[in-house]
Structures are given as C-alpha cells and as structure tokens.
Amino acid sequence: METGKEERSLNFIEQIVEKDLAEGKNNGRIQTRFPPEPNGYLHIGHVKAICMDFGIAEKYNGVCNLRFDDTNPVKEDVEYVDSIRNDIHWLGFRWGQIYYASDYFQQLYDLAIRFIKEGKAYVDEQTAEQIAAQKGTPTEAGVASPYRDRPVEENLRLFQAMQNGEIEDGRMVLRAKIDMANPNMHFRDPIMYRIITTHPHHRTGRTWNVYPMYDFAHGQSDYFEGVTHSICTLEFVVHRPLYDWFIDQFADSDYRPHQYEFNRLNITYTVMSKRKMLQLVKEGLVAGWDDPRMPTVCGLRRRGYSARAIRAFIDKIGYTKVEGMIDLGLLEHTVREDLKETAPRVCAIFDPVKLVLTNYEGAGETIVAENIDGKPELGTREMPFGRELYIERGDFQEEGDKNFYRLSPGGREVRLKAAYIIQATGCDKDADGRVTTVYATYDPQSKSGTEGGNRKTKSTINWVACDACIEAEARLYDRLFAVENPSAEEGDFRELLNPDSLHVVTCKVEQALKKEMQPLPVNDGVAEQHHYQFLKQGYFVVDPDTTSDKLVFNRTASLKDNWQK
RNA sequence: UGCUCAAUGGUGUAAUGGUAGCACUACAGAUUCUGGUUCUGUCUGUCUGGGUUCGAGUCCUGGUUGAGCAACCA
C-alpha cells in the first residue's frame, strides 16, 4: 500500500483507529458514515469530512455508509439528496449503503416511549422562550420546568397526542429528564422531539407529526447501523457526552459507537456556511449553487477544479483539533499543480492588436504544435499561420526598456510561439495615440523545430491568425470576498463581497478550439470538464453554457505572474 | 465568573521523552520556445512561569490567549 510513496505520518484519527484495531475492538470491524443533512449543496468543507469518513473505511478495509440526516422537513428537500449523491460519486467515493435517519423514525419513536416509561423523558408545554430562559446560562444553573414531574401516563398520552396531530406546532416538546444544573448545557433536559406539521417530509410524507432532534437521532442511528467511528467536526465536542448518555440508556450489549472530532475547514476570502451560501443563491448575488465562485463542490467543478485536485488539497491540509484558516493560495496552487500535467496549451489573445509581418509572403502555412511542450504523447494541434496575426497588446511597447523582454521597434528578437522569430519595426497609432497595428519582419530560417530555429530569444509571445481564429467568452473569476475572513467581520457579510469577482471578456482563441463548440457531454448528471491552459494567462475550462454558436470558458486559476509592472 | 477543546515560522502540518522537519507564501539566483514550469538557496517557529528528567515542542502544574457551548438547526 505504502510502496512507492514516501512515509507519511498518521493523522490523530488514524492513530485512534490503528490503536483500536491493535486492541481488537469490535473484532477489527471499521464502520464510518458520512451524515449530510439534505438542506444544501456539498461544499469543500464537507469534502474534508468525506475524505476522512470514506478514507478511513477504505484504508482499514471497513465500510462507509451514506446517511442522510433528514430529521428536519422544514429545511430539507430531495433536490439536495440528489446533488449530494452526485457530488460524492464525482469525487470518486463509493458508499456501502444509503441510509436515512428517517428510516429510524419508528425505532426512535418507540425508544422515546421507552424513555417516558422509564421516567427519563417528559412532555413540556412551555414556549421556546420559556424553555430557553429557564435553561440558565453557561455560568448559572437552570431551573426545572413545572412540567418536569408529570406522571408517566400523562406524558405517554400527550406524546401520543403530539404524534396524532392533535397538538399545534410549538405547543409541546418531549424533553429528556437529565440535569438542569449540569455544567454542560446540553444535559439541561435537552429536547428530544418537536412537532412539525407545516412541512411534509420528503420521504415519509405526512406519516409523522413529531420529529427527533439531532441529539436524539444521530447517536442512535450510529448505534442501529453498527458504526464504530463516528467522525465529525469540533463543534460537536460538547455533544459527545450526551451522545454517549443516550446510547447508554438503552444499549443491550457492550458495543458502542464512538464520536471523534476534527477541525473544520476554513479558507480565506470565502464563507463555509450553508446558511450564507443559500442566502447568496436566493438573493441572486451569485448565479446559483454551482456559480464558479462558490466553494461548493459543483461550483468548484464548474470552475474547473478536478476531483483529483480537490482531494489533493484536502490531503495537504491535514486533520487536527486546531481551528485555523487555510490560504486560498494553497487551493489555487493545488489546482495548478494538477492541471499543469494534463491541460493542453493553447493561445488566447485577450486584448488583441494586429501584427503584420511585412516580409512574409506565404499562404496556407500551418504550424503543428505540441499540446504540451515536451509531452508528444499528449498530441499536437494545427495552428494556421499568416501575414496578419493578433498578438497581445501588452506584448508590444513603442519604447522598450531593459526589463521589457517583448516586442519593441528595433528591440529584442522575439519568438512567436511554436513559429518564427520576429523583430518589430514600427507601429501605427490612432488619433489618441493608441497602437492599432504593429509591424515586424520575420526570419524565414527560424521556424521552431528547425536548425535555424534554435536561436535563443528572451521571450516568446502568443498569437493567433487573423483569418483563422475564433471568438470565445472568457469569464474571469476572482475571490468571492474582498476580506480574508468574512465571518469575523461585524455587520452584513454581503457587503464584504468582492465587486470584481467576475469579469466577462471576449478573447480570440486558436481555431483548434472549434471542436469545443458544442454542448458539453454530461455523465451521471455531471458535465465533463475540458481543461486548457491559455498560455501565460491561466487554466480555463469549457463552461456548460457553451453551444455550437458560442464558446464559453471559465478561468479556473491564473498563472503565477512574477513580472510586476 | 462555569464547562469543553486547543496553542510549533506569515499559513497549514510533522516530530508520539533523544538533531524542530515538510508544504504553501515571500525573497534571491539558475534553467526555460509560457516573465509559467523546474531546480537551488535565503528569511521566519515550539504562548508563558515553575516542575519531573541525563535530556521536554512532547509529561505534570499555574497562568495567558483563542475557539466552542445557553436553536423546538445539524
């Protein structure tokens, strides 16, 4: 398994698992679960959890099941169930079973009845505000509800009435009777069940009028399924004693699932909250859950991040119990590292100016260029050449200087990518002094790949033939937020959005990209990614908006640029 | 005046009582038919006081700082 790879230290969860294995816990059985609530799209923070949950199972010959934590019909929807399944699949993970917390509603209901009968639960008729008020504060003990010592029969009858739909939403809840003075707030008679009749459940419809809360559903579900390692994020640390307590009340064997917590993922210049993402989507501040600026899996995918790159990123950041903040730069570095190996190179001119090769007499010449220099196995493409080309405006300066390696009249010799060496001779300008045409002479003996072409030039510039290029829309994306940590700022997070997070421009690209002018193939509900590197510009991916009439690219990441102006 | 968790360069992470290492970033240089890539080098770190030990980033203890916990959310 480890052969060929350098030795890597285990993260602290893997260490726990290996210790459990060594001690023969659960007869060596490893079972994890990924438990998303279907109330939003998966984001890269979830991917960190997915890589952990599925990764542990994979590495230790266990199984990881997908379990939808669908205990709150007010917020949940099948739309999300489908997208979550697609995204996990696309990331390359395979679950054992698909479960739903709603599969256990009857079991959980029966368990609640048992709690009531054993005097461990009661129906409270106070309002949410009253319950909150008498819960106390972290530094002060709470006080008991006046309904706390209701007789068992009455609790049974009322809980039944709650489920029968006889009680209005919010009028009653079922609470565990534990300890109103416990220093852990979660032990102060936590709510086990609430009434929800306003929304049908996406799977059970109107069968249930009462729904279990997270604390009464999650651990039990783990127990019912035989989960051994229930891995979640740090905010659940304080829930763990309650997780254990509930299971201890009814477990009939020594088997126990154990909860372990790791640090959630935070990345600079973005938010990782489903609530905030939903708001951005609903208010049209982004184009949808799959807007390429979003940290969602579908957003990153549309942006051009491969599953491999996303997983490599998660691999780099590791798992600890320290709450931190990852540089967006690391994510970008990872995607460049991935794409540089495989993305075909192509010329795209964003701010074109015409270049005329005054001594060029040829016609119909075609340059054959490698898709990636030095990797002939990745194929070649044809670049029609001609007397009139478009080059990047910034590649010409009328007054060059020693720090400018590109075209200037009487200046350096410059290589046209994969073609000839040229030297600028002059330019035309309009009334505003703006360059309209650049003139140059070419050296017919200097074609790339020929003996005469071995001469070195300080720089190489991109070009497309005027009469053989096509136009494409390029969507240039940048960070979604203008501040490093939007969540730490006071006030409305929407005011922190980066106003320059998207620029839509038109560029001229090589004719070779004509083959992309068709609807993108879709597999398993997911559009294929056709990656390119626009030389010197960045990595781009064909957007699903592309049609046979219009070519659309999203910029995945720019190239690093060490040339400061 | 609570409970819980944490603290290693700018960032992330390793060292599991025995030489503080790796990656990203930044900066220099070399290479390059992408001012990209690649390669080399440089800068920067164990929160703090005490203790245990031949030896402490690691163990113990006091403090400091940060995070989480008072949803009929998960």
Side-chain angles (χ1 to χ4, degrees), chain A residues 132-152:
Chain A
Q134 47 111 285
K135 206 155 200 169
T137 70
T139 54
E140 299 165 54
V143 297
S145 162
Y147 302 96
R148 195 169 200 261
D149 293 314
R150 227 195 257 282
V152 167

Side-chain angles (χ1 to χ4, degrees), chain A residues 54 67 109 168 188 228 249 256 285 310 339 523 556:
Chain A
F54 285 88
R67 182 176 73 231
Y109 184 81
E168 212 180 304
R188 323 249 263 226
T228 57
Q249 303 313 303
R256 290 289 186 285
L285 270 11
I310 295 172
L339 261 18
N523 305 313
T556 307

Side-chain angles (χ1 to χ4, degrees), chain A residues 232-454:
Chain A
C232 60
T233 46
L234 247 25
E235 61 266 33
F236 291 98
V237 168
V238 285
H239 291 253
R240 191 188 337 123
L242 186 56
Y243 175 103
D244 293 334
W245 186 88
F246 272 127
I247 295 172
D248 285 342
Q249 303 313 303
F250 69 89
D252 51 12
S253 71
D254 288 340
Y255 154 70
R256 290 289 186 285
H258 284 284
Q259 177 183 304
Y260 302 95
E261 312 87 9
F262 63 83
N263 58 345
R264 51 173 285 171
L265 172 60
N266 297 301
I267 301 178
T268 54
Y269 300 103
T270 190
V271 291
M272 214 65 82
S273 138
K274 274 198 275 189
R275 201 199 94 240
K276 287 175 181 165
M277 289 183 206
L278 181 64
Q279 207 173 342
L280 293 175
V281 171
K282 286 233 159 116
E283 295 177 10
L285 270 11
V286 295
W289 284 99
D290 69 343
D291 185 297
R293 291 165 291 187
M294 292 282 274
T296 49
V297 172
C298 53
L300 289 165
R301 181 166 60 225
R302 192 164 178 182
R303 178 76 171 257
Y305 279 75
S306 67
R308 187 176 53 236
I310 295 172
R311 290 176 61 165
F313 169 73
I314 298 299
D315 205 50
K316 280 180 200 294
I317 61 177
Y319 297 87
T320 66
K321 301 179 88 160
V322 187
E323 283 277 10
M325 176 77 72
I326 307 283
D327 276 334
L328 181 60
L330 183 61
L331 182 62
E332 294 184 336
H333 169 262
T334 310
V335 78
R336 286 189 196 107
E337 195 173 50
D338 175 52
L339 261 18
K340 75 169 192 250
E341 303 294 339
T342 53
R345 272 58 165 171
V346 81
C347 286
I349 307 298
F350 283 76
D351 187 6
V353 66
K354 187 180 281 187
L355 170 72
V356 177
L357 301 178
T358 51
N359 63 334
Y360 185 82
E361 306 291 346
E365 181 175 1
T366 296
I367 306 282
V368 176
E370 286 183 345
N371 288 142
I372 299 184
D373 288 344
K375 289 193 175 187
E377 70 277 13
L378 292 177
T380 58
R381 66 186 189 283
E382 295 191 340
M383 301 176 72
F385 191 77
R387 178 184 162 87
E388 297 193 349
L389 310 173
Y390 288 118
I391 60 169
E392 208 65 67
R393 181 174 297 279
D395 286 347
F396 175 79
Q397 274 183 12
E398 203 176 1
E399 312 283 340
D401 65 73
K402 68 173 171 41
N403 290 323
F404 184 72
Y405 302 166
R406 293 124 73 161
L407 240 29
S408 280
R412 302 172 188 273
E413 282 195 324
V414 169
R415 161 84 58 190
L416 290 172
K417 179 66 188 176
Y420 298 93
I421 292 172
I422 62 171
Q423 187 164 29
T425 52
C427 65
D428 288 342
K429 288 187 282 188
D430 62 16
D432 300 325
R434 184 176 159 88
V435 175
T436 53
T437 306
V438 174
Y439 296 97
T441 54
Y442 90 114
D443 174 359
Q445 305 303 315
S446 65
K447 189 170 180 176
S448 293
T450 68
E451 183 127 359
N454 287 336

